[in-house]
Amino acid sequence: EDVTTVNLEAVAANKKATILVTQINNGNLSIVSNTGTAVINLQPGLNEIEILVTAENGVSNVYKVTISK
C-alpha cells in the first residue's frame, strides 16, 4: 500500500510555548500547522519537516524530521 500522508503531533513541554510546523518540498517552504498537529502530504523522495518551538521568553529550537517515500 502506498502511504500518502503522515499524521504529526508535536507537543511542547511548556504549554505557553508556540509550535510552527513547516514542510520543504523541492526547495519550497510551506507552513503546515501553527498548532503542532498536522497532516503531512508525502511527495516522492525526501520530505523535510521542521518543527519550530518558541518558548514564552522568545528562545527557539528547531527540530528536523526527514521522511523518505
Side-chain angles (χ1 to χ4, degrees):
E1 182 176 326
D2 186 31
V3 177
T4 58
T5 62
V6 170
N7 294 325
L8 177 99
E9 183 176 5
V11 178
N14 186 322
K15 294 187 187 303
K16 293 183 179 182
T18 60
I19 300 173
L20 181 69
V21 180
T22 59
Q23 183 174 12
I24 303 168
N25 280 324
N26 298 322
N28 297 317
L29 176 71
S30 59
I31 295 174
V32 179
S33 170
N34 62 357
T35 64
T37 301
V39 175
I40 306 295
N41 294 314
L42 299 176
Q43 304 298 321
L46 295 179
N47 293 265
E48 298 177 40
I49 298 131
E50 291 188 353
I51 303 162
L52 173 66
V53 180
T54 305
E56 184 179 20
N57 66 2
V59 175
S60 297
N61 283 318
V62 176
Y63 302 90
K64 296 182 180 187
V65 177
T66 302
I67 300 170
S68 179
K69 178 179 177 195

Short mmCIF file of all heavy atoms in Angstrom, two decimals:
data_model
loop_
_atom_site.label_atom_id
_atom_site.label_comp_id
_atom_site.label_asym_id
_atom_site.label_seq_id
_atom_site.Cartn_x
_atom_site.Cartn_y
_atom_site.Cartn_z
N GLU A 1 0.85 -1.18 0.00
CA GLU A 1 0.00 0.00 0.00
C GLU A 1 0.89 1.24 0.00
O GLU A 1 1.85 1.34 0.75
CB GLU A 1 -0.89 -0.01 1.23
CG GLU A 1 -1.83 1.15 1.26
CD GLU A 1 -2.78 1.07 2.45
OE1 GLU A 1 -3.17 -0.05 2.83
OE2 GLU A 1 -3.10 2.13 2.97
N ASP A 2 0.54 2.21 -0.83
CA ASP A 2 1.31 3.44 -0.95
C ASP A 2 0.85 4.44 0.11
O ASP A 2 -0.31 4.83 0.15
CB ASP A 2 1.13 4.03 -2.35
CG ASP A 2 2.01 5.22 -2.59
OD1 ASP A 2 3.12 5.28 -2.02
OD2 ASP A 2 1.61 6.10 -3.37
N VAL A 3 1.75 4.84 0.98
CA VAL A 3 1.44 5.81 2.03
C VAL A 3 1.52 7.20 1.42
O VAL A 3 2.52 7.57 0.81
CB VAL A 3 2.42 5.67 3.21
CG1 VAL A 3 2.15 6.74 4.26
CG2 VAL A 3 2.32 4.28 3.81
N THR A 4 0.47 8.01 1.61
CA THR A 4 0.45 9.35 1.03
C THR A 4 0.50 10.46 2.06
O THR A 4 0.81 11.60 1.74
CB THR A 4 -0.81 9.55 0.16
OG1 THR A 4 -1.97 9.33 0.98
CG2 THR A 4 -0.82 8.58 -1.02
N THR A 5 0.17 10.12 3.33
CA THR A 5 0.19 11.13 4.39
C THR A 5 0.75 10.55 5.68
O THR A 5 0.75 9.33 5.87
CB THR A 5 -1.22 11.69 4.69
OG1 THR A 5 -2.05 10.63 5.15
CG2 THR A 5 -1.84 12.37 3.49
N VAL A 6 1.22 11.44 6.54
CA VAL A 6 1.68 11.08 7.88
C VAL A 6 1.04 12.08 8.84
O VAL A 6 1.03 13.29 8.58
CB VAL A 6 3.22 11.16 7.98
CG1 VAL A 6 3.68 11.02 9.41
CG2 VAL A 6 3.86 10.12 7.11
N ASN A 7 0.50 11.58 9.94
CA ASN A 7 -0.03 12.45 10.98
C ASN A 7 1.10 12.79 11.94
O ASN A 7 1.81 11.90 12.41
CB ASN A 7 -1.16 11.77 11.74
CG ASN A 7 -2.37 11.54 10.87
OD1 ASN A 7 -2.68 12.33 10.00
ND2 ASN A 7 -3.04 10.43 11.08
N LEU A 8 1.26 14.09 12.23
CA LEU A 8 2.33 14.55 13.10
C LEU A 8 1.71 15.33 14.26
O LEU A 8 0.84 16.16 14.04
CB LEU A 8 3.29 15.46 12.33
CG LEU A 8 4.40 16.05 13.16
CD1 LEU A 8 5.66 15.25 12.95
CD2 LEU A 8 4.63 17.49 12.81
N GLU A 9 2.16 15.03 15.47
CA GLU A 9 1.72 15.80 16.62
C GLU A 9 2.95 16.15 17.46
O GLU A 9 3.59 15.28 18.04
CB GLU A 9 0.72 15.03 17.47
CG GLU A 9 0.20 15.84 18.64
CD GLU A 9 -0.87 15.12 19.45
OE1 GLU A 9 -1.16 13.94 19.16
OE2 GLU A 9 -1.39 15.74 20.36
N ALA A 10 3.27 17.44 17.50
CA ALA A 10 4.39 17.93 18.30
C ALA A 10 3.81 18.60 19.54
O ALA A 10 2.90 19.43 19.44
CB ALA A 10 5.21 18.93 17.50
N VAL A 11 4.33 18.23 20.71
CA VAL A 11 3.84 18.77 21.97
C VAL A 11 5.02 19.37 22.73
O VAL A 11 6.01 18.69 22.98
CB VAL A 11 3.16 17.67 22.82
CG1 VAL A 11 2.68 18.23 24.14
CG2 VAL A 11 2.02 17.02 22.04
N ALA A 12 4.88 20.64 23.09
CA ALA A 12 5.94 21.31 23.86
C ALA A 12 5.81 20.95 25.34
O ALA A 12 4.71 20.73 25.84
CB ALA A 12 5.83 22.82 23.69
N ALA A 13 6.93 20.91 26.03
CA ALA A 13 6.93 20.62 27.46
C ALA A 13 6.22 21.71 28.25
O ALA A 13 5.57 21.45 29.25
CB ALA A 13 8.36 20.44 27.96
N ASN A 14 6.34 22.96 27.77
CA ASN A 14 5.68 24.08 28.41
C ASN A 14 4.49 24.50 27.58
O ASN A 14 4.62 24.80 26.40
CB ASN A 14 6.66 25.25 28.55
CG ASN A 14 6.09 26.41 29.34
OD1 ASN A 14 4.90 26.74 29.22
ND2 ASN A 14 6.93 27.05 30.13
N LYS A 15 3.32 24.57 28.17
CA LYS A 15 2.09 24.88 27.44
C LYS A 15 2.07 26.30 26.88
O LYS A 15 1.27 26.60 26.00
CB LYS A 15 0.88 24.64 28.34
CG LYS A 15 0.70 23.19 28.70
CD LYS A 15 -0.60 22.96 29.44
CE LYS A 15 -0.74 21.57 29.97
NZ LYS A 15 -0.66 20.50 29.05
N LYS A 16 2.95 27.18 27.36
CA LYS A 16 2.99 28.55 26.86
C LYS A 16 3.87 28.70 25.62
O LYS A 16 3.89 29.75 24.99
CB LYS A 16 3.45 29.51 27.95
CG LYS A 16 2.44 29.61 29.08
CD LYS A 16 2.87 30.62 30.11
CE LYS A 16 1.83 30.71 31.22
NZ LYS A 16 2.19 31.72 32.22
N ALA A 17 4.57 27.65 25.26
CA ALA A 17 5.41 27.68 24.06
C ALA A 17 4.53 27.59 22.81
O ALA A 17 3.43 27.05 22.85
CB ALA A 17 6.40 26.51 24.07
N THR A 18 5.03 28.15 21.71
CA THR A 18 4.32 28.05 20.44
C THR A 18 5.05 27.06 19.54
O THR A 18 6.27 26.89 19.64
CB THR A 18 4.21 29.41 19.72
OG1 THR A 18 5.54 29.90 19.45
CG2 THR A 18 3.45 30.41 20.57
N ILE A 19 4.29 26.42 18.64
CA ILE A 19 4.86 25.43 17.74
C ILE A 19 4.43 25.75 16.32
O ILE A 19 3.25 25.97 16.05
CB ILE A 19 4.40 24.01 18.12
CG1 ILE A 19 4.83 23.67 19.54
CG2 ILE A 19 4.93 22.99 17.12
CD1 ILE A 19 4.27 22.36 20.05
N LEU A 20 5.40 25.78 15.41
CA LEU A 20 5.14 26.00 13.99
C LEU A 20 5.74 24.84 13.22
O LEU A 20 6.92 24.52 13.38
CB LEU A 20 5.79 27.31 13.53
CG LEU A 20 5.58 27.70 12.08
CD1 LEU A 20 4.11 28.08 11.83
CD2 LEU A 20 6.48 28.86 11.70
N VAL A 21 4.92 24.18 12.39
CA VAL A 21 5.39 23.05 11.59
C VAL A 21 5.45 23.49 10.14
O VAL A 21 4.46 24.00 9.59
CB VAL A 21 4.43 21.84 11.73
CG1 VAL A 21 4.93 20.68 10.88
CG2 VAL A 21 4.31 21.42 13.19
N THR A 22 6.61 23.31 9.51
CA THR A 22 6.77 23.65 8.10
C THR A 22 7.26 22.43 7.34
O THR A 22 7.85 21.51 7.91
CB THR A 22 7.76 24.81 7.90
OG1 THR A 22 9.03 24.44 8.43
CG2 THR A 22 7.27 26.08 8.55
N GLN A 23 7.00 22.43 6.03
CA GLN A 23 7.44 21.35 5.16
C GLN A 23 8.18 21.95 3.98
O GLN A 23 7.75 22.96 3.42
CB GLN A 23 6.25 20.53 4.68
CG GLN A 23 6.64 19.34 3.83
CD GLN A 23 5.43 18.47 3.49
OE1 GLN A 23 4.28 18.86 3.69
NE2 GLN A 23 5.68 17.30 2.98
N ILE A 24 9.29 21.32 3.60
CA ILE A 24 10.08 21.77 2.47
C ILE A 24 10.01 20.70 1.39
O ILE A 24 10.42 19.56 1.60
CB ILE A 24 11.55 22.01 2.87
CG1 ILE A 24 11.62 23.02 4.01
CG2 ILE A 24 12.36 22.47 1.66
CD1 ILE A 24 12.97 23.12 4.67
N ASN A 25 9.44 21.07 0.23
CA ASN A 25 9.38 20.17 -0.92
C ASN A 25 9.92 20.89 -2.14
O ASN A 25 9.46 21.99 -2.47
CB ASN A 25 7.93 19.72 -1.20
CG ASN A 25 7.48 18.62 -0.28
OD1 ASN A 25 8.27 17.76 0.07
ND2 ASN A 25 6.23 18.65 0.12
N ASN A 26 10.89 20.28 -2.78
CA ASN A 26 11.52 20.87 -3.97
C ASN A 26 11.98 22.30 -3.74
O ASN A 26 11.84 23.16 -4.58
CB ASN A 26 10.54 20.82 -5.16
CG ASN A 26 10.17 19.41 -5.53
OD1 ASN A 26 11.00 18.51 -5.48
ND2 ASN A 26 8.91 19.20 -5.87
N GLY A 27 12.49 22.56 -2.55
CA GLY A 27 13.01 23.88 -2.22
C GLY A 27 11.95 24.88 -1.80
O GLY A 27 12.26 26.01 -1.46
N ASN A 28 10.68 24.49 -1.83
CA ASN A 28 9.59 25.40 -1.44
C ASN A 28 9.18 25.14 0.00
O ASN A 28 8.91 24.01 0.37
CB ASN A 28 8.38 25.21 -2.36
CG ASN A 28 8.70 25.55 -3.80
OD1 ASN A 28 9.35 26.54 -4.08
ND2 ASN A 28 8.26 24.71 -4.71
N LEU A 29 9.13 26.20 0.79
CA LEU A 29 8.75 26.11 2.19
C LEU A 29 7.28 26.44 2.34
O LEU A 29 6.80 27.44 1.80
CB LEU A 29 9.58 27.09 3.02
CG LEU A 29 9.24 27.19 4.50
CD1 LEU A 29 9.69 25.93 5.22
CD2 LEU A 29 9.87 28.41 5.10
N SER A 30 6.54 25.60 3.03
CA SER A 30 5.14 25.89 3.29
C SER A 30 4.82 25.62 4.76
O SER A 30 5.33 24.67 5.35
CB SER A 30 4.21 25.07 2.39
OG SER A 30 4.43 23.69 2.60
N ILE A 31 3.99 26.48 5.33
CA ILE A 31 3.55 26.29 6.71
C ILE A 31 2.44 25.25 6.70
O ILE A 31 1.46 25.37 5.97
CB ILE A 31 3.05 27.61 7.32
CG1 ILE A 31 4.20 28.61 7.42
CG2 ILE A 31 2.43 27.37 8.70
CD1 ILE A 31 3.80 29.99 7.87
N VAL A 32 2.63 24.20 7.48
CA VAL A 32 1.67 23.12 7.54
C VAL A 32 0.72 23.33 8.72
O VAL A 32 -0.46 23.05 8.62
CB VAL A 32 2.39 21.75 7.65
CG1 VAL A 32 1.39 20.62 7.74
CG2 VAL A 32 3.32 21.55 6.48
N SER A 33 1.25 23.84 9.84
CA SER A 33 0.42 24.00 11.04
C SER A 33 1.08 24.98 11.99
O SER A 33 2.30 25.04 12.09
CB SER A 33 0.27 22.64 11.74
OG SER A 33 -0.32 22.80 13.00
N ASN A 34 0.25 25.75 12.69
CA ASN A 34 0.79 26.59 13.76
C ASN A 34 0.25 26.12 15.11
O ASN A 34 0.28 26.86 16.09
CB ASN A 34 0.48 28.07 13.52
CG ASN A 34 -1.01 28.36 13.49
OD1 ASN A 34 -1.83 27.47 13.60
ND2 ASN A 34 -1.34 29.62 13.33
N THR A 35 -0.24 24.87 15.16
CA THR A 35 -0.75 24.31 16.40
C THR A 35 0.06 23.11 16.88
O THR A 35 -0.16 22.64 17.99
CB THR A 35 -2.22 23.86 16.23
OG1 THR A 35 -2.26 22.81 15.28
CG2 THR A 35 -3.10 25.00 15.80
N GLY A 36 0.93 22.59 16.04
CA GLY A 36 1.72 21.41 16.40
C GLY A 36 1.12 20.11 15.89
O GLY A 36 1.77 19.08 15.90
N THR A 37 -0.13 20.16 15.44
CA THR A 37 -0.78 18.97 14.88
C THR A 37 -0.93 19.19 13.39
O THR A 37 -1.45 20.21 12.96
CB THR A 37 -2.16 18.75 15.53
OG1 THR A 37 -1.97 18.60 16.94
CG2 THR A 37 -2.84 17.51 14.99
N ALA A 38 -0.47 18.21 12.59
CA ALA A 38 -0.51 18.39 11.14
C ALA A 38 -0.65 17.06 10.42
O ALA A 38 -0.22 16.03 10.93
CB ALA A 38 0.77 19.09 10.68
N VAL A 39 -1.24 17.13 9.24
CA VAL A 39 -1.23 16.01 8.31
C VAL A 39 -0.23 16.39 7.22
O VAL A 39 -0.39 17.40 6.54
CB VAL A 39 -2.62 15.76 7.71
CG1 VAL A 39 -2.55 14.66 6.66
CG2 VAL A 39 -3.62 15.40 8.79
N ILE A 40 0.83 15.61 7.11
CA ILE A 40 1.88 15.88 6.14
C ILE A 40 1.60 15.09 4.88
O ILE A 40 1.49 13.86 4.92
CB ILE A 40 3.27 15.48 6.71
CG1 ILE A 40 3.52 16.13 8.07
CG2 ILE A 40 4.37 15.77 5.71
CD1 ILE A 40 3.62 17.63 8.05
N ASN A 41 1.44 15.79 3.76
CA ASN A 41 1.28 15.13 2.46
C ASN A 41 2.66 14.76 1.94
O ASN A 41 3.51 15.62 1.77
CB ASN A 41 0.56 16.05 1.47
CG ASN A 41 -0.86 16.32 1.88
OD1 ASN A 41 -1.58 15.40 2.24
ND2 ASN A 41 -1.26 17.58 1.85
N LEU A 42 2.87 13.47 1.71
CA LEU A 42 4.18 12.99 1.29
C LEU A 42 4.33 13.02 -0.22
O LEU A 42 3.44 12.61 -0.95
CB LEU A 42 4.40 11.57 1.81
CG LEU A 42 4.39 11.40 3.32
CD1 LEU A 42 4.52 9.93 3.68
CD2 LEU A 42 5.49 12.22 3.97
N GLN A 43 5.48 13.53 -0.65
CA GLN A 43 5.84 13.55 -2.06
C GLN A 43 6.91 12.47 -2.27
O GLN A 43 7.61 12.10 -1.33
CB GLN A 43 6.41 14.93 -2.44
CG GLN A 43 5.48 16.08 -2.13
CD GLN A 43 4.18 16.01 -2.90
OE1 GLN A 43 4.16 15.64 -4.07
NE2 GLN A 43 3.07 16.34 -2.25
N PRO A 44 7.07 11.98 -3.50
CA PRO A 44 8.15 11.01 -3.74
C PRO A 44 9.50 11.62 -3.39
O PRO A 44 9.73 12.81 -3.61
CB PRO A 44 8.04 10.75 -5.25
CG PRO A 44 6.62 11.09 -5.59
CD PRO A 44 6.25 12.22 -4.68
N GLY A 45 10.37 10.82 -2.81
CA GLY A 45 11.69 11.29 -2.41
C GLY A 45 11.71 11.69 -0.95
O GLY A 45 10.96 11.17 -0.14
N LEU A 46 12.58 12.65 -0.62
CA LEU A 46 12.73 13.10 0.76
C LEU A 46 11.73 14.20 1.09
O LEU A 46 11.56 15.14 0.32
CB LEU A 46 14.15 13.61 1.01
CG LEU A 46 15.26 12.57 0.89
CD1 LEU A 46 16.62 13.22 1.15
CD2 LEU A 46 15.04 11.42 1.85
N ASN A 47 11.09 14.08 2.21
CA ASN A 47 10.15 15.07 2.71
C ASN A 47 10.73 15.64 4.00
O ASN A 47 10.87 14.92 4.99
CB ASN A 47 8.79 14.43 3.00
CG ASN A 47 8.10 13.96 1.75
OD1 ASN A 47 7.29 14.66 1.17
ND2 ASN A 47 8.44 12.76 1.29
N GLU A 48 11.10 16.92 3.96
CA GLU A 48 11.74 17.56 5.10
C GLU A 48 10.70 18.35 5.89
O GLU A 48 10.00 19.19 5.33
CB GLU A 48 12.84 18.48 4.64
CG GLU A 48 13.96 17.76 3.90
CD GLU A 48 15.01 18.71 3.39
OE1 GLU A 48 15.36 19.66 4.12
OE2 GLU A 48 15.47 18.50 2.27
N ILE A 49 10.62 18.08 7.18
CA ILE A 49 9.68 18.76 8.06
C ILE A 49 10.48 19.42 9.16
O ILE A 49 11.39 18.81 9.73
CB ILE A 49 8.66 17.76 8.65
CG1 ILE A 49 7.85 17.13 7.53
CG2 ILE A 49 7.74 18.43 9.65
CD1 ILE A 49 7.76 15.67 7.60
N GLU A 50 10.17 20.68 9.43
CA GLU A 50 10.82 21.40 10.52
C GLU A 50 9.77 21.80 11.54
O GLU A 50 8.69 22.26 11.18
CB GLU A 50 11.55 22.64 10.01
CG GLU A 50 12.75 22.30 9.16
CD GLU A 50 13.58 23.52 8.80
OE1 GLU A 50 13.18 24.65 9.09
OE2 GLU A 50 14.66 23.31 8.22
N ILE A 51 10.10 21.60 12.80
CA ILE A 51 9.22 21.97 13.90
C ILE A 51 9.95 23.05 14.70
O ILE A 51 11.00 22.79 15.29
CB ILE A 51 8.91 20.75 14.79
CG1 ILE A 51 8.30 19.64 13.93
CG2 ILE A 51 8.01 21.14 15.94
CD1 ILE A 51 8.34 18.27 14.57
N LEU A 52 9.41 24.26 14.67
CA LEU A 52 9.99 25.40 15.39
C LEU A 52 9.21 25.59 16.68
O LEU A 52 8.00 25.85 16.65
CB LEU A 52 9.91 26.67 14.54
CG LEU A 52 10.33 27.97 15.23
CD1 LEU A 52 11.80 27.95 15.58
CD2 LEU A 52 9.98 29.16 14.36
N VAL A 53 9.90 25.43 17.81
CA VAL A 53 9.29 25.62 19.12
C VAL A 53 9.87 26.88 19.73
O VAL A 53 11.09 27.01 19.85
CB VAL A 53 9.55 24.40 20.04
CG1 VAL A 53 8.90 24.62 21.39
CG2 VAL A 53 9.05 23.12 19.40
N THR A 54 8.99 27.81 20.08
CA THR A 54 9.43 29.08 20.67
C THR A 54 8.86 29.19 22.08
O THR A 54 7.65 29.13 22.28
CB THR A 54 8.96 30.28 19.82
OG1 THR A 54 9.43 30.09 18.48
CG2 THR A 54 9.49 31.58 20.38
N ALA A 55 9.76 29.36 23.04
CA ALA A 55 9.37 29.48 24.44
C ALA A 55 8.76 30.86 24.69
O ALA A 55 8.91 31.79 23.89
CB ALA A 55 10.58 29.27 25.35
N GLU A 56 8.12 30.99 25.82
CA GLU A 56 7.49 32.25 26.20
C GLU A 56 8.50 33.40 26.25
O GLU A 56 8.19 34.54 25.91
CB GLU A 56 6.83 32.07 27.57
CG GLU A 56 6.05 33.26 28.04
CD GLU A 56 5.39 33.02 29.39
OE1 GLU A 56 5.80 32.11 30.13
OE2 GLU A 56 4.46 33.76 29.69
N ASN A 57 9.76 33.10 26.59
CA ASN A 57 10.81 34.13 26.67
C ASN A 57 11.46 34.43 25.32
O ASN A 57 12.40 35.20 25.25
CB ASN A 57 11.87 33.75 27.70
CG ASN A 57 12.67 32.52 27.30
OD1 ASN A 57 12.48 31.95 26.23
ND2 ASN A 57 13.58 32.10 28.17
N GLY A 58 10.98 33.78 24.24
CA GLY A 58 11.48 34.06 22.90
C GLY A 58 12.57 33.13 22.41
O GLY A 58 12.98 33.19 21.25
N VAL A 59 13.09 32.26 23.26
CA VAL A 59 14.13 31.31 22.86
C VAL A 59 13.49 30.23 21.98
O VAL A 59 12.45 29.67 22.32
CB VAL A 59 14.81 30.68 24.09
CG1 VAL A 59 15.80 29.61 23.67
CG2 VAL A 59 15.50 31.75 24.90
N SER A 60 14.13 29.95 20.84
CA SER A 60 13.59 28.99 19.89
C SER A 60 14.52 27.81 19.67
O SER A 60 15.74 27.95 19.76
CB SER A 60 13.33 29.66 18.53
OG SER A 60 12.36 30.66 18.65
N ASN A 61 13.93 26.67 19.36
CA ASN A 61 14.65 25.47 18.94
C ASN A 61 13.97 24.92 17.70
O ASN A 61 12.74 24.95 17.60
CB ASN A 61 14.65 24.38 20.03
CG ASN A 61 15.62 24.67 21.13
OD1 ASN A 61 16.74 25.10 20.90
ND2 ASN A 61 15.20 24.43 22.36
N VAL A 62 14.78 24.40 16.77
CA VAL A 62 14.25 23.79 15.56
C VAL A 62 14.56 22.31 15.60
O VAL A 62 15.70 21.90 15.84
CB VAL A 62 14.87 24.42 14.29
CG1 VAL A 62 14.37 23.70 13.04
CG2 VAL A 62 14.54 25.90 14.21
N TYR A 63 13.54 21.51 15.35
CA TYR A 63 13.69 20.05 15.26
C TYR A 63 13.37 19.66 13.83
O TYR A 63 12.39 20.15 13.25
CB TYR A 63 12.74 19.36 16.25
CG TYR A 63 12.98 19.80 17.66
CD1 TYR A 63 12.31 20.90 18.20
CD2 TYR A 63 13.91 19.14 18.46
CE1 TYR A 63 12.55 21.32 19.50
CE2 TYR A 63 14.14 19.54 19.77
CZ TYR A 63 13.46 20.64 20.26
OH TYR A 63 13.69 21.05 21.57
N LYS A 64 14.19 18.80 13.24
CA LYS A 64 14.01 18.41 11.84
C LYS A 64 13.70 16.92 11.74
O LYS A 64 14.31 16.10 12.42
CB LYS A 64 15.26 18.73 11.04
CG LYS A 64 15.56 20.21 10.98
CD LYS A 64 16.77 20.52 10.14
CE LYS A 64 17.00 22.02 10.15
NZ LYS A 64 18.07 22.40 9.23
N VAL A 65 12.73 16.62 10.89
CA VAL A 65 12.34 15.24 10.61
C VAL A 65 12.39 15.08 9.10
O VAL A 65 11.86 15.91 8.36
CB VAL A 65 10.92 14.94 11.12
CG1 VAL A 65 10.49 13.53 10.78
CG2 VAL A 65 10.81 15.20 12.61
N THR A 66 13.01 14.01 8.63
CA THR A 66 13.04 13.71 7.20
C THR A 66 12.39 12.36 6.98
O THR A 66 12.77 11.37 7.61
CB THR A 66 14.49 13.70 6.65
OG1 THR A 66 15.08 14.98 6.92
CG2 THR A 66 14.50 13.44 5.16
N ILE A 67 11.41 12.35 6.08
CA ILE A 67 10.70 11.11 5.76
C ILE A 67 10.96 10.80 4.30
O ILE A 67 10.77 11.64 3.42
CB ILE A 67 9.18 11.26 5.99
CG1 ILE A 67 8.91 11.61 7.46
CG2 ILE A 67 8.45 9.99 5.58
CD1 ILE A 67 7.49 12.00 7.75
N SER A 68 11.40 9.58 4.03
CA SER A 68 11.67 9.14 2.65
C SER A 68 10.49 8.35 2.14
O SER A 68 10.01 7.43 2.78
CB SER A 68 12.94 8.29 2.63
OG SER A 68 13.19 7.85 1.32
N LYS A 69 10.01 8.73 0.97
CA LYS A 69 8.91 8.00 0.34
C LYS A 69 9.39 7.40 -0.95
O LYS A 69 9.97 8.01 -1.77
CB LYS A 69 7.72 8.89 0.08
CG LYS A 69 6.58 8.17 -0.63
CD LYS A 69 5.42 9.05 -0.87
CE LYS A 69 4.38 8.23 -1.63
NZ LYS A 69 3.37 9.01 -2.22
#
